[in-house]
Amino acid sequence: MHRLCRVSLVLLVLLLGTGGVFAHPEMTSYEGAVSCAMCHSGMMFDTETVAREFLESAHGAFKVEVTEGFGIIDEDGNPVTGVYGKSNRYCGLPGTITHINWIGRTQRDNPGFEDGQPGGCARCHASDATFKTENIPDDAWEHVDCLLCHAETYQVNGTELVKAGARQPVSDANSPTGWRIQFPEGDDLAVTSASITGEVPTSSCERCHLYAGGGYMNKRGFDWSQHDVHANSLSCTSCHPSSDHKIAMGRTKPACWTNDLHGDPLNEEVSCTHCHSDVQNEHPHAPAHFDRIGCE
């Protein structure tokens, strides 16, 4: 099996080097990143290494190191420092606290979700929900769901998954959390694995970010793909570059606690002026506004 995978990867390199178009072969079984490692191990990239990188990111750990540079202060005006995020920063919004709401439902009579509005953080987390992010076990990398982000089409029960909150957990006595979210299998897996891409497609970001808080635009109130002119020709990663699965967010203030690349030059790229370099000179008040207000 490993030899076949290595041969396939060599062919991939040759195809890409000559401008060929490569489609990921259909997978017949998938148990998370551990399945990807059967082929992607130590050559073009190592699955265990990148899966562990993911688990150290804001998307994987739901928390990051907060420093004084974040500009966040407590009620006494003192800088807040330490490791904070969804794992331990309590917030009133549904589905925002992993410690008390890893798997959950709220508002049973929600027309968008027939079985109740999902509120559990695990439904968007790229894993099978068998571990919590407060205490990530060493073997958690095996359970990372690479397909949730790297498959343009994620199919479950014959239907494309548009909102990750609709992922259904099942009771599992062998899971440390008592629950497990099933990965695609059978025909669903064939469709999903055939759509695997290297760069994360916008559709993957939207599965979670459009439905955060349990419903469409519940948390942010804005659909970038529908209301932003850049969506016509750019993807999310066009403006949000990444390094080791850590994604640039731009300026931390006022409330972006889990900023993976705070202080990193990549964060400076998440700015209108990174592309529109002359905009700051077009209005006499522009410099003052750019220090405090984002164009969006």
Side-chain angles (χ1 to χ4, degrees):
M1 178 64 183
H2 285 283
R3 183 176 181 181
L4 176 60
C5 289
R6 292 190 179 98
V7 171
S8 299
L9 288 172
V10 170
L11 290 174
L12 168 60
V13 173
L14 293 174
L15 281 169
L16 293 178
T18 57
V21 178
F22 176 79
H24 194 284
E26 291 183 3
M27 301 175 71
T28 56
S29 64
Y30 177 68
E31 299 296 332
V34 68
S35 298
C36 301
M38 294 178 66
C39 289
H40 300 290
S41 179
M43 289 195 64
M44 293 183 68
F45 66 88
D46 184 74
T47 299
E48 180 177 349
T49 299
V50 297
R52 289 185 182 278
E53 287 176 356
F54 166 75
L55 290 172
E56 293 175 355
S57 72
H59 281 88
F62 282 161
K63 55 182 180 286
V64 299
E65 182 71 29
V66 175
T67 67
E68 289 189 19
F70 275 52
I72 300 171
I73 59 175
D74 62 20
E75 58 185 8
D76 297 320
N78 300 313
V80 173
T81 61
V83 179
Y84 289 101
K86 287 171 66 70
S87 293
N88 60 358
R89 182 174 63 88
Y90 287 82
C91 173
L93 290 172
T96 57
I97 310 302
T98 64
H99 186 65
I100 60 174
N101 197 17
W102 188 237
I103 296 287
R105 296 181 187 278
T106 58
Q107 298 182 16
R108 299 292 298 183
D109 298 324
N110 186 305
F113 296 91
E114 294 181 1
D115 297 324
Q117 177 173 308
C121 304
R123 298 171 185 277
C124 274
H125 190 259
S127 71
D128 60 2
T130 57
F131 63 92
K132 290 186 177 182
T133 55
E134 304 99 276
N135 186 23
I136 299 175
D138 187 64
D139 65 347
W141 74 269
E142 299 179 2
H143 302 268
V144 169
D145 188 358
C146 305
L147 298 182
L148 191 62
C149 294
H150 286 283
E152 190 165 5
T153 300
Y154 194 99
Q155 186 167 297
V156 179
N157 297 326
T159 303
E160 180 180 356
L161 186 74
V162 177
K163 45 196 175 188
R167 297 167 78 203
Q168 295 299 319
V170 295
S171 179
D172 186 345
N174 295 319
S175 166
T177 62
W179 297 91
R180 181 183 299 275
I181 291 178
Q182 298 290 345
F183 294 132
E185 56 186 9
D187 292 340
D188 290 333
L189 179 59
V191 171
T192 301
S193 59
S195 72
I196 291 175
T197 63
E199 181 179 336
V200 175
T202 296
S203 59
S204 294
C205 302
E206 291 177 340
R207 286 179 198 132
C208 291
H209 288 279
L210 278 186
Y211 294 90
Y216 178 60
M217 296 198 297
N218 273 18
K219 188 172 182 180
R220 293 177 176 82
F222 193 83
D223 186 338
W224 293 97
S225 64
Q226 297 295 319
H227 305 134
D228 193 294
V229 65
H230 297 86
N232 293 328
S233 57
L234 301 175
S235 67
C236 297
T237 54
S238 298
C239 293
H240 292 273
S242 64
S243 175
D244 299 334
H245 281 77
K246 293 179 172 63
I247 300 175
M249 291 179 61
R251 292 181 294 181
T252 299
K253 299 177 181 179
C256 299
W257 288 58
T258 49
N259 194 327
D260 267 330
L261 296 174
H262 177 75
D264 190 286
L266 280 178
N267 251 2
E268 300 301 319
E269 295 185 17
V270 189
S271 168
C272 299
T273 54
H274 183 69
C275 292
H276 305 283
S277 57
D278 294 333
V279 70
Q280 294 192 64
N281 301 319
E282 293 179 358
H283 193 282
H285 299 299
H289 285 111
F290 269 86
D291 287 340
R292 297 180 178 274
I293 303 173
C295 298
E296 65 278 61

